[in-house]
């Protein structure tokens, strides 16, 4: 076998390695710094809970229950099921064609999310909208009609408004509707291998039917607020409560209370009281300042007087 390196070349390489010129210089003014990086960090995010987002979903379900009941004209129950983190490609494979994928922006968060309604749920909601009991929900693989799209749009608009309200304790967001897709392959909100947050909700109809709908957001969209959403305490505790305190204080100051002030308390015998009749005059003497009360609580000392022809009370202390 032919040698790759000659003995002279090997000796030259060993000499260079042992040369002091190649050793690190302790006086180097530009030291190399290293930072640790966990290659499995993205994988751990798939198992990470977001209690703050779960709380937002519960608030949204409460708001949306009233909204969708108002649109359909019948009572509908809405409940938040859970929050799942999974690759976007895997999530798309779990959807059927057609599916109502309503794309939206969540300003100021970057990226595109979507509200997803299963076709069978859409047919049942449309049936209820026109007075049915929601039992007509058999998917036949066809595209949505204009009427069905109009009902979906009305329901989605109410969902956007309620979702904005649910987010207010964490971030002021504005839902901007975009296009609706029926083929999951055409809804490219992120890369196939990127993780998405799937918020699952259940709709229960009075007839016993119902179905699921999802609010799906790319994980990168939530990164600016991921620390707040990951905390164990409630969103109210983790969010900024300055505005809430100011509004509560203003509401308390606007509360109306009854006030009273005793002007005088003359002492009379029982016989004098019994002999009182219309036209009698009860003389009043100058007394100590009266106590002004609000809802029975003493608030200030006041003195009776007359100003500009009106009987008045002057606050003394």
């Amino acid at each position: 076998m032919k040698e790759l390196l000659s003995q002279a070349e090997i000796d030259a390489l060993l000499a260079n390695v042992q040369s002091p010129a190649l050793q690190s210089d302790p006086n180097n003014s530009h030291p190399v710094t290293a930072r640790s990086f966990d290659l499995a960090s993205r994988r751990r995010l798939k198992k990470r809970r977001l209690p703050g987002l779960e709380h937002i979903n519960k608030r949204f379900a409460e708001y949306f229950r009233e909204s969708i009941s108002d649109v359909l004209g019948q009572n509908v129950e809405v409940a938040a099921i859970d929050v799942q983190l999974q690759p976007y490609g895997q999530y798309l494979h779990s959807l059927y064609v057609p599916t109502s994928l309503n794309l939206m922006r969540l300003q100021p968060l970057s990226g595109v999310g979507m509200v997803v309604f299963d076709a069978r749920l859409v047919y049942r909601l449309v049936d209820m909208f026109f007075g049915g009991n929601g039992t007509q929900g058999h998917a036949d693989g066809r595209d949505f009609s204009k009427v069905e799209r109009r009902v979906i749009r009305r329901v989605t608009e109410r969902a956007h408004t309620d979702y904005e309200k649910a987010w207010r304790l964490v971030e002021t967001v504005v839902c901007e509707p975009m296009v609706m897709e029926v083929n999951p392959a055409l809804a490219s909100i992120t890369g196939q291998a990127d993780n998405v947050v799937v918020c699952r909700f259940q709709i229960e109809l009075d007839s016993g039917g119902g179905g699921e709908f999802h609010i799906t957001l790319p994980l990168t969209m939530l990164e600016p607020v991921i620390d707040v959403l990951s905390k164990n305490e409630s969103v109210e505790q983790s969010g900024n409560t300055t505005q809430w305190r100011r509004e509560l204080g203003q509401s308390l100051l606007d509360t109306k209370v009854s006030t009273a002030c005793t002007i005088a308390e003359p002492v009379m015998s029982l016989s004098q009281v019994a002999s009182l009749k219309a036209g009698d005059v009860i003389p009043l003497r100058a007394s100590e300042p009266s106590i002004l009360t609000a809802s029975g609580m003493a608030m200030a000392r006041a003195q009776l007087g007359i100003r500009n022809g009106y009987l008045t009370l002057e606050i003394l202390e």
Side-chain angles (χ1 to χ4, degrees):
M1 176 181 290
K2 184 178 179 180
E3 294 183 355
L4 297 179
L5 296 176
S6 64
Q7 186 61 41
E9 293 171 337
I10 294 176
D11 295 339
L13 290 174
L14 293 176
N16 290 333
V17 171
Q18 297 175 358
S19 175
L22 296 179
Q23 296 180 359
S24 59
D25 184 6
N27 298 324
N28 186 8
S29 59
H30 300 285
V32 178
T33 59
R35 184 176 61 181
S36 60
F37 179 76
D38 188 359
L39 295 176
S41 58
R42 287 288 181 180
R43 182 175 303 175
R44 287 207 309 270
L45 282 176
K46 295 171 62 176
K47 301 180 180 179
R48 184 176 182 177
R49 291 186 64 251
L50 300 174
L53 186 59
E54 294 173 0
H55 184 76
I56 291 176
N57 292 341
K58 291 179 181 179
R59 291 171 58 88
F60 167 73
E62 296 175 359
Y63 298 144
F64 191 55
R65 179 175 62 248
E66 298 181 3
S67 297
I68 193 172
S69 298
D70 181 61
V71 171
L72 301 178
Q74 302 183 39
N75 291 329
V76 176
E77 292 296 327
V78 180
I81 302 177
D82 59 13
V83 176
Q84 297 179 348
L85 276 75
Q86 55 183 302
Y88 185 53
Q90 178 182 338
Y91 173 69
L92 289 181
H93 288 310
S94 66
L95 303 178
Y96 297 96
V97 179
T99 298
S100 177
L101 301 103
N102 304 272
L103 277 63
M104 65 176 181
R105 295 189 184 277
L106 209 61
Q107 301 291 353
L109 303 179
S110 60
V112 178
M114 58 185 179
V115 182
V116 181
F117 293 97
D118 178 70
R120 290 169 295 183
L121 177 60
V122 171
Y123 300 149
R124 290 168 182 168
L125 296 179
V126 172
D127 182 48
M128 291 187 65
F129 183 80
F130 289 101
N133 56 5
T135 58
Q136 302 298 323
H138 302 289
D140 51 11
R142 63 175 176 82
D143 195 359
F144 298 115
S145 65
K146 292 183 178 180
V147 174
E148 291 164 346
R149 288 175 177 266
R150 188 177 302 115
V151 174
I152 295 171
R153 183 164 58 250
R154 291 189 60 178
V155 172
T156 305
E157 288 174 355
R158 300 296 290 269
H160 288 167
T161 302
D162 296 335
Y163 203 52
E164 292 175 1
K165 291 169 56 179
W167 265 84
R168 284 176 183 171
L169 292 177
V170 174
E171 183 78 18
T172 301
V173 299
V174 177
C175 295
E176 297 182 358
M178 301 174 64
V179 298
M180 187 191 81
E181 299 288 352
V182 296
N183 189 346
L186 300 179
S188 301
I189 64 174
T190 189
Q192 296 282 323
D194 294 335
N195 289 328
V196 292
V197 179
V198 182
C199 305
R200 300 172 58 234
F201 301 88
Q202 179 71 29
I203 292 183
E204 294 290 344
L205 309 179
D206 288 341
S207 60
E212 284 190 17
F213 74 95
H214 308 154
I215 295 181
T216 305
L217 306 172
L219 184 60
T220 54
M221 174 185 287
L222 301 178
E223 285 183 353
V225 292
I226 197 71
D227 292 335
V228 177
L229 299 179
S230 301
K231 293 181 179 179
N232 291 326
E233 62 265 21
S234 64
V235 179
E236 287 92 342
Q237 294 174 339
S238 61
N240 186 6
T241 60
T242 303
Q243 182 178 358
W244 177 82
R245 292 177 181 272
R246 182 170 59 252
E247 293 180 356
L248 178 60
Q250 185 62 41
S251 299
L252 290 175
L253 293 177
D254 292 338
T255 303
K256 295 182 179 181
V257 295
S258 59
T259 57
C261 183
T262 302
I263 298 176
E265 292 182 336
V267 179
M268 303 174 63
S269 64
L270 183 58
S271 60
Q272 291 175 323
V273 174
S275 62
L276 289 175
K277 59 182 179 298
D280 290 347
V281 177
I282 301 176
L284 299 177
R285 299 178 181 178
S287 60
E288 294 293 328
S290 302
I291 303 299
L292 179 66
T293 61
S295 296
M297 299 293 295
M299 301 298 297
R301 290 182 179 272
Q303 184 68 51
L304 182 66
I306 298 178
R307 176 172 296 182
N308 297 330
Y310 293 96
L311 189 64
T312 61
L313 282 175
E314 181 184 1
I315 303 300
L316 301 179
E317 58 177 329

